[in-house]
Amino acid sequence: MTLSRRAAIANGMAVLAMAPGLARAATDARALHKKLICMDTHLDMPANLARPGWNVMDRHDVDLDFTQVDYPRMVEGGLDGGFFSIYTPQAPVTPEGMSAMRDAAFLRAAEIREMVVAHPQQFELAFVPEDAARIAAKGKIIVFQSIENSGILGNDVTLLRSFYKLGVRMAGPIHFLNNQLGDSATDKKQWGGLSPLGKDFVKEANDLGIVLDASHSSDDVFDQMMDLSRTAIICSHSGCRAIHDHPRNLDDARIKRLAAAGSTIQINSYNEYLVTVPPNPDRDKARRAAFGKMRNLGSMPPDQAAAAMRAVAAEMKAVDKQYPIPRADFEEYMKHVMHALDLVGPDHVGVGADWDGGGGVTGMNDVTSIPKITERLVKAGYTEAQLSNFWSGNALRVLGKAHEARRQA
Amino acid sequence: MTLSRRAAIANGMAVLAMAPGLARAATDARALHKKLICMDTHLDMPANLARPGWNVMDRHDVDLDFTQVDYPRMVEGGLDGGFFSIYTPQAPVTPEGMSAMRDAAFLRAAEIREMVVAHPQQFELAFVPEDAARIAAKGKIIVFQSIENSGILGNDVTLLRSFYKLGVRMAGPIHFLNNQLGDSATDKKQWGGLSPLGKDFVKEANDLGIVLDASHSSDDVFDQMMDLSRTAIICSHSGCRAIHDHPRNLDDARIKRLAAAGSTIQINSYNEYLVTVPPNPDRDKARRAAFGKMRNLGSMPPDQAAAAMRAVAAEMKAVDKQYPIPRADFEEYMKHVMHALDLVGPDHVGVGADWDGGGGVTGMNDVTSIPKITERLVKAGYTEAQLSNFWSGNALRVLGKAHEARRQA
């Protein structure tokens, strides 16, 4: 694979010299992209659903309101769906904090389902791998549901069953901070991996047929989930540590272990995991001040909320100008994709770009730009069948495995 | 009140002698009924939402498929909404049983919200008393949400918060059978009222501003909820024991206590609470056999499911013919209404007829017939203001009290 890809790149370089050929290749790649079922395994767009004045059916502009995913842009970018995340920020691990997280998560889950019900010609809920092709064939967006931060389950991991019943098919135990289930990739070592409750969580997810997602988990949690899980786990939005040394990225050994288990690493486009961003307290403070203005958005009338959002977006741009930070570009993103592909091949890599969750790089800053990935991979010599797996087959395979390995009721 | 009502009845009798006057009175009463905001505090229709082939926007026929509530019939009957129930049958009080109930309840809650999202011109979610008039003014159905059987909460009554967040504003602890929260009106004494967990449940509901519903609770649970609750509790679908001695009905002392606390008894039309039905094992067996055929409905294609439903309905009619039982009629229903009105007046009585939950009497077997209640009460001399309270004001007042008494976050 590596050799043929390199040969293809060399080929691409040659093509560079003759523009008409290049244009035709690009057109072909875009046609192929449209033809493929393209899924992203970590879409944070549901966080926007409750924003007054924000409508998933409208075309938004990332420069004006930060958002990166909506129906028109999914269609334009040929993104056929993926895992829509029930994300809940980590609250203090107290009874009150955990119950507040849980309550918020149920509401978020409802909002995802309601998005689908409100637009039945555009979206459809998916539960099993076969649903993807069926829904895509109807020209609709494939809506799998996932949980980011299973700290929402409090001390009762059986609550995962309620979310399963609502349609959740993938769940990560942890987010930025440690919780009662285990250690985060971006927090201090506390449990040394999974907590005892975290081990129950693994079993519960296995029993239900929910794919375990190790993105955001510490290396220890990754290892222990690999050890304990009866079926392949996934990394729904992570990068390669060999390319950029960040605890949210996977080292080569773990990427290989993931692949050997039949799974896939879905490459993230989150700036801080791609380039080194030096600490900048002034910038952080200015950003917090701007973000703080979003706090009362929920209680504003739609027009006012939309205006407030645009004002915050403008302020954030000013902050970026005043305190510039290193910005990853599309090339840096593709380095991670290519490294993973070189390491484990196209049956074990995909895309989870963290749209609306902090993802986006210069040159690929919303879902309309994802055909560039296909273009690049076509140039690199990947075949239609390989790209089909890269864009959805791999993740669906992992989901199918989890479904098969579930406890038969 | 009693005297004026009796006088009005005498007046009505006089009118009886002159048909044109009667016809005009009936027309006036119907016009008044349409004008009033009419709510039923216990609608079991959500149980039908997941039935393949059943669409809330279609007009159904109770004789053909048992159902008693849908949008066209609500409009026809001038029923402007009410409390749509998240009902879950009592499973064994085991970890598995409780979690299965919980999971089912979350799905049912989602289905109610999705009904509203799917038909935004016809339905709207309601959360506070003021929503009722606002929604009715738009010509839409008012959708408050309630829980029938809080056994779904398992051993964690804080889970009620998740349901509150989804919109639930009324909850009864118990259904036909005792559970971990306390004793049922229709089961053997086990806890002697509320369990310790049941007392926590009362506090949790109070803290949230959820109205406690004592229908289905044992007398002891009723008394203890009255003692413990910081705000008025309700009986969302119950009758008068003085009219028919059944444990699901309230004795006069308890109806008076409810009224004295500012609350209301919402009269049920469930046959077995209105007339004595002798045990009939053969009939029960035949009904179970017919109902058993509904078990696989959920996995059938819509047309097949609808046909199966009609077949079961026909079989049930045959069972009724073969094993007839005493059937309450509209007069028997009105006896309960009138008794409660005589006892505590129109500010403490309303309607919770158990539609789609076993309610319905001869002469009033779906929601299209409820204008008959208004007609009868107009004849009895009740004023528009009194009827306005009877049909919604009383229940909304109790909801408002619960909201005011909630723990301020």
Side-chain angles (χ1 to χ4, degrees), chain B residues 289-304:
Chain B
F291 266 125
K293 292 172 186 166
M294 289 170 66
R295 211 164 288 149
N296 299 320
L297 225 60
S299 54
M300 290 179 189
D303 286 358
Q304 200 183 325

Side-chain angles (χ1 to χ4, degrees), chain A residues 96 99 102-104 106-107 110 113-114 117-118 156 158-159 161-162 165-166 407, chain B residues 96 99 102-104 106-107 110 113-114 117-118 156 158-159 161-162 165-166 407:
Chain A
E96 288 301 318
S99 89
R102 174 198 64 198
D103 303 344
F106 274 113
L107 190 60
R113 291 178 60 108
E114 289 164 17
V117 170
D156 180 6
T158 77
L159 200 55
R161 299 173 198 170
S162 294
K165 194 130 186 165
L166 292 170
R407 190 185 60 182
Chain B
E96 289 299 320
S99 89
R102 175 199 64 198
D103 303 343
F106 273 114
L107 190 60
R113 290 178 60 109
E114 289 163 19
V117 171
D156 180 6
T158 77
L159 199 57
R161 298 174 198 168
S162 294
K165 194 130 185 166
L166 292 169
R407 190 185 61 183

Side-chain angles (χ1 to χ4, degrees), chain B residues 99-171:
Chain B
S99 89
M101 288 175 68
R102 175 199 64 198
D103 303 343
F106 273 114
L107 190 60
R108 181 60 45 82
E111 288 161 2
I112 295 173
R113 290 178 60 109
E114 289 163 19
M115 170 190 79
V116 174
V117 171
H119 309 291
Q121 303 310 313
Q122 288 80 22
F123 295 92
E124 189 169 330
L125 289 180
F127 305 95
V128 291
E130 301 74 44
D131 287 338
R134 187 179 54 73
I135 294 168
K138 290 190 263 186
K140 296 195 209 180
I141 301 294
I142 305 151
V143 182
F144 285 104
Q145 296 163 75
S146 60
I147 291 174
E148 183 173 37
N149 196 358
S150 299
I152 59 164
L153 304 175
N155 290 317
D156 180 6
V157 295
T158 77
L159 199 57
L160 195 56
R161 298 174 198 168
S162 294
F163 285 97
Y164 179 87
K165 194 130 185 166
L166 292 169
V168 166
R169 292 296 180 267
M170 181 190 291

Side-chain angles (χ1 to χ4, degrees), chain B residues 324-345:
Chain B
I325 56 166
R327 281 272 174 219
D329 63 10
F330 181 63
E331 298 307 319
E332 249 127 4
Y333 178 71
M334 287 308 295
K335 274 186 206 163
H336 289 255
V337 174
M338 289 307 187
H339 176 79
L341 286 169
D342 286 349
L343 192 69
V344 291

